[in-house]
């Protein structure tokens, strides 16, 4: 049995195209923020919201590339199992995991503090032009 090459091929291209779209969208946002012109581009903000599901599609495409593109070759004896097994020791994997856990917990705490502070401050009061 030959592994499904077309699935891996198209999943890779979808992943790369969506990554390019995300980088282009980021560049547009960065350009507008630096020029202080983002506030009047509501269509762009809506476009950003509508791209949220695309991140999940890109992630799933990457998973397909990693798993479908690799695994059948090992299963079908087209690639030796020794070549598919990583040579990283357990301590390195555990260290990396715990470092990521510490970083993401720190980011979560910082984000929670920022959100709570902004909730306590509340929204800005809009000035009434008739009271001036």
């Amino acid at each position: 049995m030959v592994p499904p090459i077309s699935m891996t091929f198209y999943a890779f291209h979808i992943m790369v195209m969506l990554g390019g779209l995300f980088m282009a969208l980021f560049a547009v946002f960065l350009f507008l923020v630096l020029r202080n012109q983002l506030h009047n581009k509501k269509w762009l903000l809506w476009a950003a919201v509508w791209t949220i599901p695309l991140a999940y599609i890109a992630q799933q495409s990457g998973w397909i590339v990693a798993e479908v593109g690799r695994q059948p070759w090992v299963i079908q004896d087209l690639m030796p199992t020794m070549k598919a097994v990583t040579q990283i020791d357990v301590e390195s994997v555990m260290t990396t995991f715990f470092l990521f856990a510490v970083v993401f917990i720190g980011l979560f705490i910082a984000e929670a503090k920022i959100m709570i502070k902004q909730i306590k401050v509340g929204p800005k009061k809009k000035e009434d032009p008739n009271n001036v």
Side-chain angles (χ1 to χ4, degrees):
M1 177 179 163
V2 176
I5 304 297
S6 61
M7 183 189 320
T8 306
F9 176 83
Y10 290 116
F12 176 77
H13 282 78
I14 289 169
M15 177 185 67
V16 170
M17 285 189 294
L18 288 175
L21 172 69
F22 297 145
M23 287 190 290
L25 189 64
F26 172 76
V28 170
F29 268 91
L30 181 63
F31 177 76
L32 292 174
V33 166
L34 292 176
R35 298 191 74 190
N36 199 19
Q37 296 178 347
L38 185 62
H39 61 279
N40 58 0
K41 304 282 190 279
K42 289 194 184 237
W43 64 270
L44 187 60
L45 298 174
W46 277 109
V49 169
W50 286 104
T51 59
I52 291 171
L54 296 179
Y56 296 103
I57 294 171
Q59 183 270 329
Q60 288 298 314
S61 296
W63 181 85
I64 289 170
V65 170
E67 296 302 324
V68 175
R70 172 192 59 186
Q71 195 66 21
W73 297 100
V74 177
I75 292 171
Q76 297 299 322
D77 295 329
L78 297 172
M79 181 171 79
T81 307
M82 293 296 289
K83 295 289 183 184
V85 176
T86 184
Q87 300 300 321
I88 301 173
D89 58 326
V90 175
E91 291 80 20
S92 295
V93 174
M94 288 176 56
T95 302
T96 304
F97 172 79
F98 288 120
L99 286 174
F100 273 109
V102 167
V103 168
F104 283 117
I105 289 170
L107 289 172
F108 173 75
I109 291 169
E111 178 66 21
K113 284 183 177 182
I114 291 169
M115 288 174 57
I116 290 169
K117 179 182 173 187
Q118 289 302 313
I119 290 170
K120 287 180 181 178
V121 169
K124 291 182 182 179
K125 302 278 188 206
K126 202 171 192 181
E127 290 186 20
D128 187 11
N130 296 330
N131 286 341
V132 177

